[in-house]
Amino acid sequence: MTSIAVKTLLSETTSVTYTPGYEGANIGTIIGFKHVNYLVEKAVIEHFRRCGLAVGALYESSGVGFDIIDVKTKLSAALLVDDDVDAVVTPTTGESGNVASFSVELTVQRDGAPKRAVRSKVQVQFRRDEDERRMTKRAPLPEGLDRFVVDRIGGSEPGDAITDAGAPLMSGASSDDDPVSRKLVEGRNAYAWRFKVPYPYIHFFERLQMSAYLRLMEEAKYRFVEARGCSIGGMLTERNWIPAVSANSVTIMDEVLMEEDLYIVYSVKDIFKNMLYTATMDCYVVRDGKLVQTATGEITHCYVMVENGKEAVMVPWDERVVTAFSSAPSQA
């Protein structure tokens, strides 16, 4: 029998109003895609809380940690730092399966009328913490919620053998000059680097969380264009061009632990009319001498010029940018 709280979670719609985090206003007063996704995550967590299933309390009482394992977001209008953002969370979970699914819409006021700015699809699981040192008591879960509890998130099959993983890194340090990164970009229009996962990127004591992958996706763009000779800072100084995002997605395929070396590969996938491009982000660790994929994602970018803090106009690329995004120089 399913508890009333779980029935509500899977059937009722939640509405909540937020203002964006000021930290996300990287482009004048426009909120970047990372913080847009943070609002989506916050709205889903609030949906659980209003249904009587606060995610913090579920961990404290039953030792199950809330994880967003998949997010797909489309942005059709910019969010601004002063906006009141109305978030509507609608359950979309099927009758079977171990994933709770939700759609999220973010709406803002423009010219006195509501305008839908963001649509997201989110998938959620709860990961059981088996460490008895951390969980000394365990209350039963509400009936019906155990369906979404797993002992491990994902579980990718090991891939290629790795014989040389390069020199050790300090926590938080990175390198794009190591044997695995070079192997991952062979024959691809891509950039790769290795990153030792630090404490600020994890949650529930040990695991890399979805927000960390979004941070890495943002950094991947920054590293890629700098490696191609058109850094974000340089393009702003020369032309007042800044990258803007219209869509992104991330799927967690396996767990990553604090202080593991994570390999991030950013690859150009499609270029559309020299104005938009889609790139993939694939992430790996090396375990027992083999590559294991931990996440995959996509992001679509264009270049815009922003006036008066919020008025963005898409600009076509010139030959320099076309060449930089189309070529695949060898990574030293």
Side-chain angles (χ1 to χ4, degrees), residues 9-223:
L9 178 81
L10 302 179
S11 62
E12 299 293 327
T13 296
T14 296
S15 299
V16 62
T17 300
Y18 291 122
T19 55
Y22 187 66
E23 180 191 346
N26 305 123
I27 309 171
T29 63
I30 299 173
I31 301 299
F33 85 96
K34 180 166 76 329
H35 278 260
V36 170
N37 281 286
Y38 290 176
L39 284 177
V40 169
E41 178 184 67
K42 191 172 183 178
V44 173
I45 289 173
E46 178 65 12
H47 177 73
F48 274 79
R49 190 186 71 81
R50 290 193 180 184
C51 294
L53 299 166
V55 299
L58 287 169
Y59 182 80
E60 293 160 2
S61 64
S62 303
V64 294
F66 171 94
D67 271 276
I68 289 181
I69 61 167
D70 187 273
V71 61
K72 295 179 174 63
T73 299
K74 293 184 177 181
L75 300 88
S76 55
L79 300 187
L80 307 177
V81 71
D82 292 331
D83 278 334
D84 290 322
V85 182
D86 296 322
V88 177
V89 180
T90 303
T92 58
T93 306
E95 294 296 324
S96 61
N98 66 354
V99 174
S101 301
F102 305 90
S103 68
V104 182
E105 292 193 358
L106 305 184
T107 302
V108 294
Q109 291 291 316
R110 293 290 181 265
D111 300 321
K115 181 178 181 61
R116 186 175 65 195
V118 176
R119 297 182 69 178
S120 289
K121 296 179 180 179
V122 176
Q123 293 185 343
V124 169
Q125 285 183 324
F126 286 88
R127 200 316 201 137
R128 186 178 287 107
D129 189 336
E130 297 287 5
D131 194 320
E132 298 297 335
R133 299 168 301 174
R134 296 196 288 253
M135 301 308 305
T136 59
K137 58 182 181 179
R138 293 180 191 272
L141 286 166
E143 291 187 38
L145 193 68
D146 55 341
R147 161 187 168 190
F148 306 115
V149 178
V150 296
D151 293 327
R152 182 183 181 86
I153 294 171
S156 296
E157 291 295 323
D160 293 346
I162 300 298
T163 57
D164 181 5
L169 295 172
M170 294 291 291
S171 181
S174 65
S175 171
D176 59 4
D177 184 18
D178 67 83
V180 180
S181 296
R182 291 194 293 269
K183 175 183 176 67
L184 288 168
V185 298
E186 284 179 358
R188 302 172 67 181
N189 186 6
Y191 174 91
W193 82 98
R194 176 168 57 124
F195 173 71
K196 188 167 185 178
V197 175
Y199 173 73
Y201 281 63
I202 68 160
H203 66 175
F204 298 111
F205 299 97
E206 59 186 9
R207 291 196 311 284
L208 194 73
Q209 57 180 304
M210 176 59 77
S211 64
Y213 278 116
L214 294 168
R215 291 165 71 178
L216 290 167
M217 179 172 270
E218 185 173 53
E219 183 175 354
K221 161 71 176 189
Y222 188 93
R223 284 174 171 263

Side-chain angles (χ1 to χ4, degrees), residues 289-302:
K290 292 187 175 181
L291 273 178
V292 176
Q293 187 164 7
T294 66
T296 188
E298 284 192 359
I299 187 165
T300 300
H301 274 101
C302 64

Side-chain angles (χ1 to χ4, degrees), residues 230-242 305 320:
C230 48
S231 73
I232 291 177
M235 297 295 280
L236 276 169
T237 299
E238 296 169 22
R239 311 178 185 186
N240 193 33
W241 289 14
I242 185 75
M305 294 182 66
R320 173 188 170 190

